[in-house]
Amino acid sequence: PSEKNLGHMTIDEKYDFARQYKEAGNTFFKEGKYEFALKNYQETITYLRHGLRMGEVDSEGVPFAARANGLDPESKRIISSCHSNMAACALKLERYHEVIKHATSALDMDLKEGAKAKALFRRSKAYHYEGKLEAAYSDICDAKKIDPSDKAVVAQYSAVAKEYRELKRQEHEAAKTVWKGKL
């Protein structure tokens, strides 16, 4: 998205470059081009992790990119958003293992409450599709605590909670059968 060589951009221009790439991913997502969106989000993450400080050196002449410093807060914010968006893409593509991976990566970073609820919701749906009912229930309960007015969260909670209660009822009945006459 830029005519300028990355090594000659200011740090603000580099952030703008990353945001533009992420926004292109958002456009692809809205158009239903999930594979292209995934690629743009991944490129944004790669750029922020490895290319942001390209061309810059510290006071000792060592390239910043060669140092193992943590990410700055702005990079973390953009990367966590990209991971959450990648989880949404993977959900649309029915790649549930990828949804779980990307949502977990987003949740491992500092997300705002609304973004955290979305990531939990997406991961809950993936767990549910994979038959991991307890994990799905745990995530959707956490999402509902964060955003109890989100209609998609409430609908997912209703579906998963109903199945979860039935599972627990069946487990209780099975336990009663196993222990019948042994106590």
Side-chain angles (χ1 to χ4, degrees):
S2 175
E3 308 267 328
K4 210 171 187 183
N5 180 303
L6 292 175
H8 295 93
M9 289 182 186
T10 66
I11 196 77
D12 288 335
E13 289 172 325
K14 290 176 182 180
Y15 277 123
D16 287 341
F17 179 84
R19 285 187 203 98
Q20 288 173 12
Y21 227 83
K22 179 182 165 276
E23 283 305 313
N26 293 349
T27 300
F28 284 132
F29 182 86
K30 289 173 189 168
E31 293 173 354
K33 298 176 180 173
Y34 307 118
E35 291 291 349
F36 288 113
L38 278 168
K39 287 178 184 170
N40 271 70
Y41 297 137
Q42 187 58 59
E43 287 294 323
T44 302
I45 291 169
T46 300
Y47 173 71
L48 288 170
R49 289 195 185 278
H50 305 291
L52 188 62
R53 304 300 297 257
M54 186 187 310
E56 295 182 36
V57 294
D58 65 13
S59 60
E60 298 169 11
V62 177
F64 278 113
R67 294 193 174 267
N69 294 339
L71 292 167
D72 60 277
E74 180 65 5
S75 292
K76 284 182 181 179
R77 189 188 66 71
I78 295 169
I79 288 171
S80 65
S81 176
C82 284
H83 276 298
S84 185
N85 292 350
M86 290 170 80
C89 290
L91 193 57
K92 293 285 189 181
L93 294 168
E94 300 179 2
R95 296 182 190 159
Y96 304 118
H97 183 71
E98 289 180 32
V99 175
I100 294 165
K101 178 181 85 171
H102 293 303
T104 300
S105 292
L107 291 164
D108 286 344
M109 302 182 105
D110 296 327
L111 289 172
K112 292 181 182 172
E113 292 300 297
K116 187 174 186 177
K118 282 183 185 179
L120 286 163
F121 164 77
R122 291 170 181 151
R123 192 170 70 177
S124 173
K125 286 196 72 103
Y127 280 141
H128 192 215
Y129 282 118
E130 288 194 342
K132 298 175 181 173
L133 193 56
E134 292 195 16
Y137 182 73
S138 175
D139 276 359
I140 203 61
C141 285
D142 290 345
K144 190 170 183 274
K145 285 177 194 166
I146 294 167
D147 194 352
S149 63
D150 184 302
K151 291 178 183 175
V153 168
V154 171
Q156 174 72 0
Y157 175 80
S158 295
V160 172
K162 182 179 177 183
E163 286 181 44
Y164 183 77
R165 282 190 298 273
E166 178 58 22
L167 173 69
K168 290 301 169 185
R169 187 194 66 72
Q170 289 172 0
E171 287 175 354
H172 179 73
E173 290 300 317
K176 280 180 18 184
T177 302
V178 167
W179 291 103
K180 190 175 186 178
K182 293 185 180 179
L183 295 176

Short mmCIF file of all heavy atoms in Angstrom, two decimals, residues 64-117:
data_model
loop_
_atom_site.label_atom_id
_atom_site.label_comp_id
_atom_site.label_asym_id
_atom_site.label_seq_id
_atom_site.Cartn_x
_atom_site.Cartn_y
_atom_site.Cartn_z
N PHE A 64 17.31 -2.97 15.06
CA PHE A 64 16.23 -3.25 16.00
C PHE A 64 15.59 -4.60 15.69
O PHE A 64 15.19 -5.33 16.59
CB PHE A 64 15.16 -2.16 15.97
CG PHE A 64 15.51 -0.96 16.79
CD1 PHE A 64 15.76 0.26 16.17
CD2 PHE A 64 15.56 -1.03 18.17
CE1 PHE A 64 16.06 1.37 16.93
CE2 PHE A 64 15.87 0.07 18.93
CZ PHE A 64 16.12 1.29 18.31
N ALA A 65 15.47 -4.92 14.42
CA ALA A 65 14.84 -6.17 14.02
C ALA A 65 15.61 -7.39 14.51
O ALA A 65 15.06 -8.47 14.63
CB ALA A 65 14.69 -6.22 12.50
N ALA A 66 16.90 -7.21 14.84
CA ALA A 66 17.72 -8.32 15.31
C ALA A 66 17.59 -8.53 16.82
O ALA A 66 18.03 -9.53 17.34
CB ALA A 66 19.19 -8.07 14.95
N ARG A 67 16.98 -7.58 17.49
CA ARG A 67 16.83 -7.70 18.94
C ARG A 67 15.51 -8.41 19.26
O ARG A 67 14.55 -8.31 18.54
CB ARG A 67 16.82 -6.32 19.59
CG ARG A 67 18.16 -5.63 19.45
CD ARG A 67 18.19 -4.42 20.36
NE ARG A 67 19.50 -3.84 20.36
CZ ARG A 67 20.45 -4.15 21.24
NH1 ARG A 67 20.23 -5.05 22.15
NH2 ARG A 67 21.61 -3.56 21.19
N ALA A 68 15.49 -9.11 20.37
CA ALA A 68 14.30 -9.86 20.77
C ALA A 68 13.47 -9.06 21.78
O ALA A 68 13.13 -9.54 22.85
CB ALA A 68 14.70 -11.21 21.36
N ASN A 69 13.19 -7.81 21.45
CA ASN A 69 12.37 -6.98 22.34
C ASN A 69 10.91 -7.33 22.14
O ASN A 69 10.49 -7.74 21.07
CB ASN A 69 12.58 -5.49 22.03
CG ASN A 69 13.99 -5.04 22.34
OD1 ASN A 69 14.69 -5.67 23.11
ND2 ASN A 69 14.40 -3.96 21.72
N GLY A 70 10.13 -7.14 23.19
CA GLY A 70 8.69 -7.39 23.09
C GLY A 70 8.03 -6.39 22.16
O GLY A 70 8.63 -5.40 21.73
N LEU A 71 6.79 -6.68 21.85
CA LEU A 71 6.03 -5.80 20.98
C LEU A 71 5.54 -4.58 21.75
O LEU A 71 5.22 -4.68 22.94
CB LEU A 71 4.82 -6.54 20.41
CG LEU A 71 5.14 -7.67 19.44
CD1 LEU A 71 3.91 -8.53 19.22
CD2 LEU A 71 5.63 -7.10 18.12
N ASP A 72 5.44 -3.46 21.07
CA ASP A 72 4.90 -2.26 21.69
C ASP A 72 3.37 -2.38 21.75
O ASP A 72 2.78 -3.20 21.06
CB ASP A 72 5.33 -1.02 20.89
CG ASP A 72 4.84 -1.09 19.47
OD1 ASP A 72 5.51 -1.75 18.65
OD2 ASP A 72 3.77 -0.53 19.20
N PRO A 73 2.71 -1.58 22.58
CA PRO A 73 1.26 -1.69 22.76
C PRO A 73 0.45 -1.53 21.46
O PRO A 73 -0.53 -2.24 21.26
CB PRO A 73 0.92 -0.57 23.74
CG PRO A 73 2.18 -0.34 24.50
CD PRO A 73 3.30 -0.61 23.52
N GLU A 74 0.85 -0.63 20.57
CA GLU A 74 0.12 -0.44 19.32
C GLU A 74 0.22 -1.68 18.44
O GLU A 74 -0.78 -2.11 17.84
CB GLU A 74 0.64 0.79 18.57
CG GLU A 74 -0.06 1.07 17.26
CD GLU A 74 -1.54 1.42 17.37
OE1 GLU A 74 -2.06 1.56 18.49
OE2 GLU A 74 -2.18 1.56 16.32
N SER A 75 1.39 -2.28 18.36
CA SER A 75 1.55 -3.51 17.57
C SER A 75 0.70 -4.63 18.16
O SER A 75 0.03 -5.36 17.42
CB SER A 75 3.02 -3.95 17.53
OG SER A 75 3.79 -3.04 16.79
N LYS A 76 0.70 -4.76 19.48
CA LYS A 76 -0.11 -5.79 20.14
C LYS A 76 -1.59 -5.60 19.83
O LYS A 76 -2.30 -6.56 19.57
CB LYS A 76 0.10 -5.76 21.66
CG LYS A 76 1.39 -6.34 22.12
CD LYS A 76 1.47 -6.31 23.63
CE LYS A 76 2.78 -6.86 24.13
NZ LYS A 76 2.87 -6.82 25.58
N ARG A 77 -2.04 -4.36 19.86
CA ARG A 77 -3.45 -4.06 19.59
C ARG A 77 -3.83 -4.49 18.18
O ARG A 77 -4.84 -5.16 17.96
CB ARG A 77 -3.73 -2.57 19.79
CG ARG A 77 -5.20 -2.21 19.74
CD ARG A 77 -5.43 -0.71 19.74
NE ARG A 77 -4.94 -0.08 18.52
CZ ARG A 77 -5.50 -0.19 17.31
NH1 ARG A 77 -6.54 -0.96 17.15
NH2 ARG A 77 -5.00 0.43 16.28
N ILE A 78 -3.01 -4.13 17.21
CA ILE A 78 -3.30 -4.47 15.82
C ILE A 78 -3.21 -5.98 15.61
O ILE A 78 -4.06 -6.57 14.94
CB ILE A 78 -2.34 -3.71 14.87
CG1 ILE A 78 -2.59 -2.20 14.96
CG2 ILE A 78 -2.54 -4.19 13.42
CD1 ILE A 78 -1.52 -1.34 14.27
N ILE A 79 -2.19 -6.61 16.18
CA ILE A 79 -2.01 -8.06 16.01
C ILE A 79 -3.17 -8.83 16.64
O ILE A 79 -3.69 -9.78 16.05
CB ILE A 79 -0.65 -8.50 16.58
CG1 ILE A 79 0.48 -8.01 15.66
CG2 ILE A 79 -0.58 -10.03 16.72
CD1 ILE A 79 1.88 -8.19 16.22
N SER A 80 -3.59 -8.43 17.83
CA SER A 80 -4.70 -9.15 18.47
C SER A 80 -5.97 -9.01 17.65
O SER A 80 -6.73 -9.97 17.50
CB SER A 80 -4.91 -8.65 19.91
OG SER A 80 -5.33 -7.31 19.94
N SER A 81 -6.18 -7.83 17.08
CA SER A 81 -7.34 -7.62 16.21
C SER A 81 -7.25 -8.50 14.97
O SER A 81 -8.25 -9.11 14.54
CB SER A 81 -7.42 -6.14 15.82
OG SER A 81 -8.46 -5.94 14.90
N CYS A 82 -6.06 -8.61 14.40
CA CYS A 82 -5.87 -9.47 13.22
C CYS A 82 -6.16 -10.93 13.57
O CYS A 82 -6.82 -11.63 12.80
CB CYS A 82 -4.45 -9.34 12.67
SG CYS A 82 -4.16 -7.82 11.74
N HIS A 83 -5.68 -11.40 14.72
CA HIS A 83 -5.94 -12.78 15.12
C HIS A 83 -7.44 -13.02 15.30
O HIS A 83 -7.97 -14.05 14.87
CB HIS A 83 -5.19 -13.14 16.40
CG HIS A 83 -3.78 -13.56 16.18
ND1 HIS A 83 -3.45 -14.68 15.45
CD2 HIS A 83 -2.62 -13.03 16.60
CE1 HIS A 83 -2.13 -14.80 15.42
NE2 HIS A 83 -1.60 -13.81 16.11
N SER A 84 -8.12 -12.07 15.91
CA SER A 84 -9.56 -12.21 16.10
C SER A 84 -10.27 -12.24 14.75
O SER A 84 -11.18 -13.05 14.52
CB SER A 84 -10.10 -11.07 16.97
OG SER A 84 -11.47 -11.27 17.23
N ASN A 85 -9.84 -11.38 13.84
CA ASN A 85 -10.43 -11.36 12.50
C ASN A 85 -10.12 -12.65 11.74
O ASN A 85 -10.96 -13.15 10.97
CB ASN A 85 -9.93 -10.15 11.71
CG ASN A 85 -10.44 -8.84 12.27
OD1 ASN A 85 -11.31 -8.81 13.13
ND2 ASN A 85 -9.88 -7.74 11.80
N MET A 86 -8.92 -13.19 11.94
CA MET A 86 -8.57 -14.46 11.30
C MET A 86 -9.46 -15.59 11.84
O MET A 86 -9.84 -16.50 11.09
CB MET A 86 -7.09 -14.77 11.52
CG MET A 86 -6.17 -13.84 10.75
SD MET A 86 -4.44 -14.01 11.21
CE MET A 86 -4.01 -15.47 10.27
N ALA A 87 -9.80 -15.52 13.13
CA ALA A 87 -10.72 -16.51 13.70
C ALA A 87 -12.08 -16.40 13.02
O ALA A 87 -12.71 -17.43 12.72
CB ALA A 87 -10.85 -16.30 15.21
N ALA A 88 -12.52 -15.17 12.75
CA ALA A 88 -13.81 -14.98 12.06
C ALA A 88 -13.76 -15.57 10.65
O ALA A 88 -14.71 -16.22 10.21
CB ALA A 88 -14.17 -13.50 12.01
N CYS A 89 -12.66 -15.34 9.94
CA CYS A 89 -12.49 -15.90 8.59
C CYS A 89 -12.52 -17.43 8.64
O CYS A 89 -13.22 -18.07 7.85
CB CYS A 89 -11.17 -15.45 7.97
SG CYS A 89 -11.08 -13.72 7.53
N ALA A 90 -11.75 -17.99 9.55
CA ALA A 90 -11.67 -19.45 9.67
C ALA A 90 -13.04 -20.04 10.03
O ALA A 90 -13.40 -21.12 9.54
CB ALA A 90 -10.62 -19.84 10.71
N LEU A 91 -13.81 -19.32 10.83
CA LEU A 91 -15.16 -19.78 11.17
C LEU A 91 -16.04 -19.83 9.92
O LEU A 91 -16.75 -20.81 9.69
CB LEU A 91 -15.77 -18.87 12.23
CG LEU A 91 -17.03 -19.34 12.93
CD1 LEU A 91 -16.83 -20.68 13.61
CD2 LEU A 91 -17.47 -18.30 13.95
N LYS A 92 -15.95 -18.80 9.10
CA LYS A 92 -16.70 -18.78 7.83
C LYS A 92 -16.27 -19.92 6.91
O LYS A 92 -17.08 -20.45 6.16
CB LYS A 92 -16.51 -17.44 7.11
CG LYS A 92 -17.12 -16.26 7.81
CD LYS A 92 -18.61 -16.26 7.67
CE LYS A 92 -19.20 -14.96 8.18
NZ LYS A 92 -20.65 -14.95 8.06
N LEU A 93 -15.00 -20.27 6.97
CA LEU A 93 -14.45 -21.34 6.12
C LEU A 93 -14.60 -22.73 6.77
O LEU A 93 -14.14 -23.73 6.20
CB LEU A 93 -12.98 -21.07 5.81
CG LEU A 93 -12.72 -19.82 4.96
CD1 LEU A 93 -11.23 -19.47 4.97
CD2 LEU A 93 -13.20 -20.04 3.53
N GLU A 94 -15.21 -22.77 7.96
CA GLU A 94 -15.44 -24.01 8.70
C GLU A 94 -14.14 -24.74 9.04
O GLU A 94 -14.07 -25.97 9.04
CB GLU A 94 -16.42 -24.92 7.97
CG GLU A 94 -17.78 -24.28 7.77
CD GLU A 94 -18.77 -25.14 7.02
OE1 GLU A 94 -18.44 -26.28 6.65
OE2 GLU A 94 -19.89 -24.66 6.80
N ARG A 95 -13.11 -23.97 9.35
CA ARG A 95 -11.82 -24.52 9.78
C ARG A 95 -11.71 -24.30 11.29
O ARG A 95 -11.05 -23.38 11.76
CB ARG A 95 -10.68 -23.81 9.06
CG ARG A 95 -10.68 -24.03 7.56
CD ARG A 95 -9.48 -23.32 6.97
NE ARG A 95 -9.55 -23.28 5.53
CZ ARG A 95 -8.87 -22.41 4.79
NH1 ARG A 95 -8.07 -21.53 5.36
NH2 ARG A 95 -8.98 -22.43 3.48
N TYR A 96 -12.37 -25.17 12.02
CA TYR A 96 -12.56 -24.94 13.44
C TYR A 96 -11.27 -24.98 14.25
O TYR A 96 -11.13 -24.23 15.22
CB TYR A 96 -13.61 -25.92 13.98
CG TYR A 96 -14.90 -25.78 13.19
CD1 TYR A 96 -15.41 -26.84 12.46
CD2 TYR A 96 -15.55 -24.56 13.13
CE1 TYR A 96 -16.56 -26.70 11.71
CE2 TYR A 96 -16.70 -24.40 12.37
CZ TYR A 96 -17.20 -25.48 11.67
OH TYR A 96 -18.33 -25.31 10.91
N HIS A 97 -10.34 -25.84 13.86
CA HIS A 97 -9.06 -25.88 14.57
C HIS A 97 -8.35 -24.52 14.44
O HIS A 97 -7.75 -24.03 15.40
CB HIS A 97 -8.19 -27.01 14.03
CG HIS A 97 -6.90 -27.16 14.76
ND1 HIS A 97 -6.82 -27.65 16.04
CD2 HIS A 97 -5.63 -26.84 14.40
CE1 HIS A 97 -5.56 -27.64 16.44
NE2 HIS A 97 -4.82 -27.15 15.47
N GLU A 98 -8.42 -23.92 13.26
CA GLU A 98 -7.80 -22.60 13.04
C GLU A 98 -8.52 -21.52 13.84
O GLU A 98 -7.89 -20.59 14.34
CB GLU A 98 -7.80 -22.23 11.56
CG GLU A 98 -6.84 -23.03 10.73
CD GLU A 98 -6.86 -22.63 9.26
OE1 GLU A 98 -7.11 -21.44 8.95
OE2 GLU A 98 -6.63 -23.51 8.41
N VAL A 99 -9.84 -21.62 13.95
CA VAL A 99 -10.60 -20.66 14.75
C VAL A 99 -10.07 -20.68 16.18
O VAL A 99 -9.79 -19.63 16.76
CB VAL A 99 -12.12 -20.99 14.76
CG1 VAL A 99 -12.87 -20.05 15.70
CG2 VAL A 99 -12.70 -20.92 13.36
N ILE A 100 -9.93 -21.88 16.72
CA ILE A 100 -9.46 -22.03 18.10
C ILE A 100 -8.06 -21.44 18.24
O ILE A 100 -7.78 -20.69 19.19
CB ILE A 100 -9.51 -23.51 18.53
CG1 ILE A 100 -10.97 -23.98 18.59
CG2 ILE A 100 -8.80 -23.72 19.86
CD1 ILE A 100 -11.15 -25.47 18.64
N LYS A 101 -7.19 -21.74 17.30
CA LYS A 101 -5.80 -21.24 17.35
C LYS A 101 -5.77 -19.71 17.32
O LYS A 101 -5.12 -19.07 18.15
CB LYS A 101 -5.00 -21.81 16.18
CG LYS A 101 -3.57 -21.32 16.10
CD LYS A 101 -2.83 -21.89 14.91
CE LYS A 101 -3.11 -21.02 13.72
NZ LYS A 101 -2.33 -21.30 12.54
N HIS A 102 -6.49 -19.10 16.36
CA HIS A 102 -6.44 -17.64 16.23
C HIS A 102 -7.16 -16.93 17.37
O HIS A 102 -6.67 -15.91 17.87
CB HIS A 102 -7.01 -17.21 14.88
CG HIS A 102 -6.18 -17.63 13.71
ND1 HIS A 102 -4.85 -17.30 13.59
CD2 HIS A 102 -6.48 -18.39 12.63
CE1 HIS A 102 -4.37 -17.82 12.47
NE2 HIS A 102 -5.34 -18.49 11.88
N ALA A 103 -8.30 -17.47 17.79
CA ALA A 103 -9.01 -16.84 18.91
C ALA A 103 -8.17 -16.92 20.18
O ALA A 103 -8.10 -15.95 20.95
CB ALA A 103 -10.37 -17.52 19.12
N THR A 104 -7.50 -18.05 20.39
CA THR A 104 -6.63 -18.20 21.56
C THR A 104 -5.47 -17.20 21.50
O THR A 104 -5.13 -16.57 22.50
CB THR A 104 -6.12 -19.64 21.68
OG1 THR A 104 -7.25 -20.52 21.81
CG2 THR A 104 -5.20 -19.81 22.87
N SER A 105 -4.90 -17.03 20.31
CA SER A 105 -3.81 -16.05 20.15
C SER A 105 -4.31 -14.65 20.48
O SER A 105 -3.61 -13.87 21.14
CB SER A 105 -3.25 -16.08 18.73
OG SER A 105 -2.58 -17.30 18.50
N ALA A 106 -5.50 -14.32 20.02
CA ALA A 106 -6.07 -13.00 20.32
C ALA A 106 -6.31 -12.84 21.81
O ALA A 106 -5.99 -11.80 22.40
CB ALA A 106 -7.38 -12.81 19.55
N LEU A 107 -6.83 -13.89 22.44
CA LEU A 107 -7.12 -13.83 23.88
C LEU A 107 -5.85 -13.78 24.72
O LEU A 107 -5.90 -13.27 25.85
CB LEU A 107 -7.98 -15.03 24.29
CG LEU A 107 -9.40 -15.00 23.75
CD1 LEU A 107 -10.05 -16.37 23.86
CD2 LEU A 107 -10.22 -13.93 24.48
N ASP A 108 -4.75 -14.26 24.20
CA ASP A 108 -3.48 -14.22 24.92
C ASP A 108 -2.88 -12.81 24.97
O ASP A 108 -1.92 -12.57 25.69
CB ASP A 108 -2.46 -15.18 24.31
CG ASP A 108 -2.78 -16.64 24.62
OD1 ASP A 108 -3.59 -16.90 25.54
OD2 ASP A 108 -2.21 -17.52 23.94
N MET A 109 -3.45 -11.92 24.18
CA MET A 109 -2.98 -10.53 24.16
C MET A 109 -3.99 -9.67 24.90
O MET A 109 -5.06 -10.14 25.27
CB MET A 109 -2.82 -10.06 22.71
CG MET A 109 -1.86 -10.95 21.94
SD MET A 109 -1.59 -10.40 20.27
CE MET A 109 0.03 -9.71 20.43
N ASP A 110 -3.64 -8.43 25.13
CA ASP A 110 -4.54 -7.54 25.87
C ASP A 110 -5.65 -7.04 24.96
O ASP A 110 -5.45 -6.13 24.16
CB ASP A 110 -3.76 -6.35 26.44
CG ASP A 110 -2.73 -6.78 27.47
OD1 ASP A 110 -3.00 -7.77 28.17
OD2 ASP A 110 -1.66 -6.15 27.55
N LEU A 111 -6.83 -7.64 25.09
CA LEU A 111 -7.97 -7.23 24.29
C LEU A 111 -8.90 -6.37 25.13
O LEU A 111 -9.03 -6.57 26.33
CB LEU A 111 -8.77 -8.46 23.83
CG LEU A 111 -8.16 -9.36 22.78
CD1 LEU A 111 -9.02 -10.61 22.61
CD2 LEU A 111 -8.05 -8.63 21.46
N LYS A 112 -9.59 -5.45 24.47
CA LYS A 112 -10.64 -4.71 25.14
C LYS A 112 -11.79 -5.68 25.37
O LYS A 112 -11.90 -6.71 24.70
CB LYS A 112 -11.10 -3.54 24.28
CG LYS A 112 -10.05 -2.46 24.14
CD LYS A 112 -10.56 -1.32 23.29
CE LYS A 112 -9.48 -0.28 23.12
NZ LYS A 112 -9.84 0.76 22.17
N GLU A 113 -12.69 -5.35 26.28
CA GLU A 113 -13.76 -6.28 26.67
C GLU A 113 -14.62 -6.73 25.48
O GLU A 113 -14.90 -7.91 25.35
CB GLU A 113 -14.63 -5.64 27.75
CG GLU A 113 -13.92 -5.47 29.08
CD GLU A 113 -13.43 -6.77 29.68
OE1 GLU A 113 -14.27 -7.63 30.00
OE2 GLU A 113 -12.21 -6.93 29.85
N GLY A 114 -15.04 -5.80 24.61
CA GLY A 114 -15.87 -6.18 23.48
C GLY A 114 -15.16 -7.14 22.53
O GLY A 114 -15.74 -8.12 22.06
N ALA A 115 -13.89 -6.87 22.28
CA ALA A 115 -13.09 -7.74 21.40
C ALA A 115 -12.85 -9.09 22.06
O ALA A 115 -12.85 -10.13 21.39
CB ALA A 115 -11.76 -7.06 21.06
N LYS A 116 -12.70 -9.09 23.37
CA LYS A 116 -12.50 -10.34 24.10
C LYS A 116 -13.76 -11.20 24.01
O LYS A 116 -13.69 -12.41 23.80
CB LYS A 116 -12.17 -10.04 25.56
CG LYS A 116 -11.78 -11.24 26.37
CD LYS A 116 -11.31 -10.84 27.76
CE LYS A 116 -10.78 -12.04 28.49
NZ LYS A 116 -10.24 -11.66 29.82
N ALA A 117 -14.93 -10.58 24.13
CA ALA A 117 -16.20 -11.31 24.02
C ALA A 117 -16.34 -11.93 22.63
O ALA A 117 -16.77 -13.08 22.50
CB ALA A 117 -17.38 -10.39 24.32
#
